[in-house]
Amino acid sequence: MRTHILLTGSSRGIGAAIAEAMQESGNRLVGHGTNSGIPADFSQPGAAQSLWQRALEALEGRIDVLINNAGIFEPVPLETDHDAWVEGWERTIRVNLTASAELCRLAVRHWQSEGRPGRIVNIASRAAYRGDSPAHWHYAASKAGMVAMTKTIARAYAREGILAFAICPGFTMTGMAEEYLESRGGDKLLADIPLGKVAMPEEIARIARFCALDAPESMTGAVIDANGASYVR
């Protein structure tokens, strides 16, 4: 039986690489994104729930794996007007964390109602542990929340066969990372990565595929780092 997968943020970068890796295995995948798949604006209330229902319909009422990859990385400098700073914080938390939490809840409830196992893979970030730039408090907080949520789900529902994993990439060669590297001085940032290079999306996709399809059950709750040893713990 083919695995049915819902993947958010599938239109580019890490998400596009994950989609390709999953489909190579002969699975059925429904993607979400601004340029491809089912559209959903996670900054708007109700968008995550709508996406889940449409994906469930497209996959004939069964989703086996949820991969939360969608996210934004928008700077909000400390000196920004207070109301604008709070607005930026709340937008990032809603898109990066709240929408993922809604989808995780819907997935867990789906599996519980069907009496079936399921897997969640959350794409977090090195920032969850190391923090990020002074203009990205909100991004680091959203990814730390995602890691804590993953661990909580794993502990709460393992006995029901519901497994959860988090992946924490460092800099990855996506459009978002390329822009950031250029804005912050690429050579200086690369010097902080012992491996000497940023990850490629395909590397993160291989990890996501393993967690979604092949990781042993006892790995549930694991947080996997992929940052070229730029942050070890």
Side-chain angles (χ1 to χ4, degrees), residues 120-230:
I120 293 169
V121 182
N122 288 323
I123 309 300
S125 169
R126 176 187 73 169
Y129 291 98
R130 179 174 166 166
D132 212 287
S133 81
H136 292 92
W137 292 15
H138 49 347
Y139 179 79
S142 71
K143 295 303 184 177
M146 179 174 273
V147 168
M149 177 176 69
T150 303
K151 293 179 178 181
T152 301
I153 292 169
R155 288 175 56 81
Y157 309 109
R159 288 186 182 273
E160 298 174 61
I162 297 170
L163 313 180
F165 309 89
I167 303 170
C168 288
F171 287 114
T172 307
M173 194 53 69
T174 66
M176 183 171 65
E178 288 170 353
E179 295 165 10
Y180 188 72
L181 283 167
E182 184 178 351
S183 68
R184 296 294 297 273
D187 291 342
K188 183 178 179 181
L189 285 178
L190 288 175
D192 190 42
I193 304 175
L195 189 61
K197 67 182 184 69
V198 298
M200 298 303 293
E202 293 75 17
E203 294 181 271
I204 310 305
R206 287 166 59 192
I207 301 171
R209 182 191 180 285
F210 172 72
C211 291
L213 302 177
D214 300 320
E217 292 180 344
S218 291
M219 268 189 65
T220 190
V223 181
I224 301 172
D225 295 322
N227 60 54
S230 60

Side-chain angles (χ1 to χ4, degrees), residues 1-22:
M1 185 171 63
R2 292 193 294 175
T3 302
H4 289 193
I5 302 161
L6 170 58
L7 166 65
T8 70
S10 64
S11 60
R12 67 186 184 115
I14 291 173
I18 293 173
E20 182 176 353
M22 291 298 179

Side-chain angles (χ1 to χ4, degrees), residues 53-74:
Q53 293 301 328
R54 286 179 288 166
L56 203 58
E57 292 171 8
L59 292 170
E60 300 171 356
R62 174 171 60 87
I63 294 174
D64 304 306
V65 175
L66 166 66
I67 304 175
N68 281 310
N69 171 71
I72 56 175
F73 186 75
E74 299 173 346

Side-chain angles (χ1 to χ4, degrees), residues 82-120:
H82 183 77
D83 289 344
W85 190 90
V86 172
E87 182 181 353
W89 176 282
E90 291 180 342
R91 170 175 160 80
T92 291
I93 296 296
R94 170 159 285 283
V95 172
N96 291 8
L97 181 57
T98 304
S100 295
E102 289 184 65
L103 290 169
C104 285
R105 176 185 178 274
L106 290 165
V108 170
R109 296 291 290 162
H110 171 63
W111 298 323
Q112 287 178 327
S113 68
E114 297 289 325
R116 292 191 293 101
R119 293 191 178 212
I120 293 169

Side-chain angles (χ1 to χ4, degrees), residues 15-69:
I18 293 173
E20 182 176 353
M22 291 298 179
Q23 290 170 332
E24 285 176 355
S25 303
N27 303 299
R28 291 190 61 186
L29 182 141
V30 167
H32 144 265
T34 54
N35 301 320
S36 64
I38 300 175
D41 181 358
F42 284 165
S43 68
Q44 300 302 312
Q49 186 176 24
S50 175
L51 171 66
W52 176 265
Q53 293 301 328
R54 286 179 288 166
L56 203 58
E57 292 171 8
L59 292 170
E60 300 171 356
R62 174 171 60 87
I63 294 174
D64 304 306
V65 175
L66 166 66
I67 304 175
N68 281 310
N69 171 71

